[in-house]
Amino acid sequence: MSESTTESVPSIEVTGVSILLDVVTKRFPGQEKPAVAGLTMEIPAGKIVMLVGPSGCGKTTTLKMINRLIEPSEGKIVVGGNDVTGMNGDELRRGIGYVIQAGGLFPHMTVATNIGIVPKMLGWDKARIAARVDELLELVSLDPALYRDRYPNELSGGQQQRVGVARALAADPPVLLMDEPFGAVDPITRLRLQDELLSIQEELQKTIVCVTHDFDEAVKLGDWIAIFNEGAQLVQYDTPERILAEPANEFVEDFIGSGAGLKQLTLTRVAEVGLGEAVVGKPGERAADVLSRAETAGHGHAVIVDERDRPIQWLSLRQLERLETITNVPDPKLPVVGYRATLNDALDTMLVSSAGAALVTGRRDMFKGVINVKTIMDAITKAQGAAAVQSANAPVGLNTGVFQAAAAATTGEPAQP
Ligand SMILES: Nc1ncnc2c1ncn2[C@@H]1O[C@H](COP(=O)(O)OP(=O)(O)OP(=O)(O)O)[C@@H](O)[C@H]1O
Ligand SMILES: [Mg+2]
């Protein structure tokens, strides 16, 4: 989440706890090189930290050492101030949510049973579990009445992923580990799920460690991004803004890829730019009335919203002229983006719909305004003029024995080899 998003909800209580990987090494039997070599890394409470890096560099191994699905060979793991290295692994995992690709749901269990697994292990009674299941399904935007009794194979990939997130949150753990959670869904669904995760995080303020292959995803979701090279060498650990503005070296530059300027678009959210207003109509209204309002306002279009203020159609003056009454049939191709979406997402949506603009929705998918290409162009110009961002309170991250980074540990700055 960007700073401004966090600032807008200052009253939210942080429920996440900090995590410390303290000179952690993992050697797999029969492997010459360690998968993780002397990694020290601090993960601040209530933040989203994204782990990125080439295949095989040790991201999953690092993640799984936090809940000890993989036992570290050396070093210690501290969660919420407690050394968990010697703790009972099953007990530890009940307090840490874990989400993997495609949700990792048990196919022979219903959605409700899947979500209720950990609460059941914790001995909650049936009524409490049922209430929690419904609450979580609402949280991940699935109607409990429709979905609680389905089996995973009766759900789309995106829906399975949502259930996976709901399951990980079931016992309200302070920490959520996610391993390429949105890797298996189509790009549009992925954007939605990312927005949903940000919205959930805005509410819950967990500590989230998330592995991804997608650098844009890291920039969008991460408060901090850790870029790894082989052996979980921490090449750069910083805010998305700083990594884009000042990549530590060529490896990071290559990783960011071309178009770093355009990547600035991933740093700005739709909520942060000025939206255009629109003339709004409702189903059942006379089209002529909506038309005249649009003409009076000097607009070329009107947005039709349903009874819950969700946009369903976007009609031009010509379309309105040909209509008698406004219908309540939703247009499946309506270009809509959530207000947490990035400008990059918005641009994508516009290009796909070739509308040159998109409708923006807020909480509960309610219509908020219109974003167009010009708004986005202005934002690019502004971003390019912005000075490099200072990185305050950066968490510690270094590889003991790999880099001479001892000095960095005492300054509190992330190690920049
Ligand atoms: N159980 C295992 N036994 C032996 N070697 C392993 C085992 N698990 C992982 N490795 C090795 O450890 C290294 C790190 O693997 P890891 O799964 O952490 O990579 P990753 O960064 O998650 O890669 P990807 O992006 O492909 O998922 C790899 O070289 C891998 O082959
Ligand atoms: Mg992996």
Side-chain angles (χ1 to χ4, degrees), residues 373-384:
V373 173
K374 183 172 181 308
T375 316
I376 292 181
M377 296 305 288
D378 290 348
I380 298 180
T381 316
K382 218 170 120 189
Q384 281 168 345

Side-chain angles (χ1 to χ4, degrees), residues 335-393:
V336 176
V337 289
Y339 73 127
R340 285 184 196 81
T342 66
L343 293 188
N344 201 18
D345 300 341
L347 198 55
D348 262 3
T349 307
M350 290 178 202
L351 290 175
V352 168
S353 76
S354 63
L359 302 178
V360 177
T361 55
R363 272 188 195 277
R364 295 176 199 284
D365 298 330
M366 287 185 341
F367 177 61
K368 277 183 91 106
V370 177
I371 185 166
N372 58 34
V373 173
K374 183 172 181 308
T375 316
I376 292 181
M377 296 305 288
D378 290 348
I380 298 180
T381 316
K382 218 170 120 189
Q384 281 168 345
V389 223
Q390 290 301 309
S391 180
N393 311 317

Side-chain angles (χ1 to χ4, degrees), residues 59-61 179-180 211 213:
K59 303 180 294 293
T60 296
T61 306
D179 198 346
E180 307 204 30
V211 171
H213 263 110

Side-chain angles (χ1 to χ4, degrees), residues 15 32 79 81 141 173 198-199 217 242 273 288 321 341-342 360 378 389:
T15 59
E32 200 183 310
V79 179
S141 304
L198 287 172
S199 133
E217 180 167 272
R242 288 254 303 186
V273 300
E321 274 164 13
T342 66
V360 177
D378 290 348
V389 223

